[in-house]
Amino acid sequence: MTKFRHLIWMVMAAAGLMLSASHSFAQQPDVGDQPGLLADDSVELDPEFRKQMVLYRTTEAPGTIIISTAERHLYLIQGNGRALRYGIGVGRDGFQWQGLVNITRKAEWPDWTPPPEMIARQPYLPRFMAGGPGNPLGARAMYLGTTVYRIHGTNRPDTIGTAVSSGCFRLVNADVADLYDRVPIGTKVIIRQKPEL
């Protein structure tokens, strides 16, 4: 019986540690959201995260976007076993998600109104910021379904290939402008957390 109580105590302690760790992750500032910072366009992306045409087998129709958070890549399906691949920044631990959505809205140099849950986590953020070079949403934004998430540019190109956001998918401004011009409202977007086998 003593061993059983000890085991229960250990499980409860471990659960408490996991909860406090996940809470502390949620309280960490999003290093990618630095309002007013102008993008350093001299940042050179790792070759893996530069826009390029790649071989990509899928049954999805051309024009579909597939986001692989594990790989830190966004694929725009071209057909014939090919896709345009872009490097992206993704949500940090506790802010990654998966699903099937459509692009419901597009905006050039979008304004930024951080959602209430983001303000609660990061009270230092502005309540509103007009679009422009210092805006964390960057040059373009494509809004995903009815969620608060977007595919957008960034004023922190050094975060491409990392997991630091609050759930959005960010590209360097040149890449997000390129993608923006290629996809219409209604585009199907598939977000996957784990690579396919």
Side-chain angles (χ1 to χ4, degrees):
M1 189 66 154
T2 304
K3 286 184 180 179
F4 182 69
R5 272 189 277 205
H6 183 69
L7 178 63
I8 289 176
W9 181 85
M10 293 291 283
V11 168
M12 288 175 46
L17 281 173
M18 288 191 313
L19 284 174
S20 67
S22 67
H23 181 70
S24 69
F25 276 125
Q27 296 299 318
Q28 291 177 347
D30 181 342
V31 299
D33 290 333
Q34 294 189 2
L37 180 72
L38 296 181
D40 180 358
D41 293 327
S42 70
V43 169
E44 208 166 306
L45 293 179
D46 183 296
E48 177 185 352
F49 298 116
R50 294 180 194 150
K51 182 184 87 171
Q52 58 189 288
M53 189 68 71
V54 296
L55 296 175
Y56 191 87
R57 289 175 26 169
T58 184
T59 57
E60 296 296 334
T64 302
I65 291 173
I66 298 175
I67 294 174
S68 172
T69 57
E71 296 176 15
R72 315 286 200 265
H73 290 134
L74 180 152
Y75 297 91
L76 177 59
I77 305 307
Q78 302 294 294
N80 298 319
R82 299 176 72 74
L84 262 179
R85 185 180 80 186
Y86 301 84
I88 59 173
V90 301
R92 62 186 181 271
D93 286 342
F95 292 88
Q96 294 182 4
W97 59 286
Q98 60 187 357
L100 172 62
V101 292
N102 293 81
I103 292 175
T104 51
R105 187 174 147 230
K106 294 169 55 175
E108 296 184 24
W109 293 106
D111 294 337
W112 183 43
T113 304
E117 55 270 25
M118 187 179 227
I119 295 289
R121 289 190 308 271
Q122 299 166 261
Y124 56 85
L125 291 176
R127 296 336 184 227
F128 171 84
M129 185 172 186
N135 189 307
L137 295 184
R140 305 285 184 274
M142 290 153 273
Y143 297 76
L144 299 175
T146 57
T147 72
V148 296
Y149 303 115
R150 296 163 286 246
I151 297 168
H152 63 77
T154 183
N155 61 347
R156 288 289 309 273
D158 57 310
T159 63
I160 302 304
T162 67
V164 296
S165 82
S166 293
C168 288
F169 307 102
R170 60 181 62 162
L171 293 81
V172 294
N173 284 331
D175 286 355
V176 79
D178 180 78
L179 178 65
Y180 182 97
D181 290 341
R182 293 174 185 270
V183 297
I185 290 174
T187 295
K188 179 180 179 181
V189 181
I190 301 166
I191 298 103
R192 296 182 178 144
Q193 282 195 31
K194 297 181 180 169
E196 287 187 295
L197 299 176

